[in-house]
Amino acid sequence: MPSLNITFTEEELEAVRAAAAAEGKSLKQYVHDLPLREKQRLQFTGYALAWGEEHRAEFDAAFPDEAPPARRSRGTEAA
């Protein structure tokens, strides 16, 4: 089975160990799961954004006084 060696600073490794412990996982399982969770997060976000765009007209009709994100100034967008 393929494997991967990853280098961390002491501080980074301690943070990863703490995160693994918080989820009740071994360090190996936690690091294994991270890219899989990120893939799921990106897929979910993509679907959520697409759903929002599909329903933008409904939102605009229901809340005519609200400014849709497309009309907000660029300085007020969320990160």
Side-chain angles (χ1 to χ4, degrees), residues 4 11-14 20 24 55 65-66 75 79:
L4 177 67
E11 294 82 18
E12 291 169 337
L13 185 56
E14 185 56 37
H55 297 323
D65 295 334
E66 296 293 323

Side-chain angles (χ1 to χ4, degrees), residues 53 56-57 59-61 63-73 76-77:
E53 288 301 317
R56 180 181 302 267
F59 179 87
D60 289 347
F63 304 100
D65 295 334
E66 296 293 323
R71 294 187 205 151
R72 291 184 191 150
S73 67
T76 60
E77 288 182 354

Side-chain angles (χ1 to χ4, degrees), residues 21-65:
E23 289 196 17
K25 293 182 178 181
S26 69
L27 184 60
K28 183 176 180 179
Q29 187 64 51
Y30 181 79
V31 173
H32 169 272
D33 291 350
L34 282 176
L36 305 175
R37 288 170 53 182
E38 179 63 7
K39 181 180 175 184
Q40 291 173 338
R41 185 190 71 80
L42 291 173
Q43 184 178 36
F44 175 84
T45 303
Y47 288 141
L49 288 172
W51 186 91
E53 288 301 317
E54 290 172 12
H55 297 323
R56 180 181 302 267
E58 293 172 46
F59 179 87
D60 289 347
F63 304 100
D65 295 334

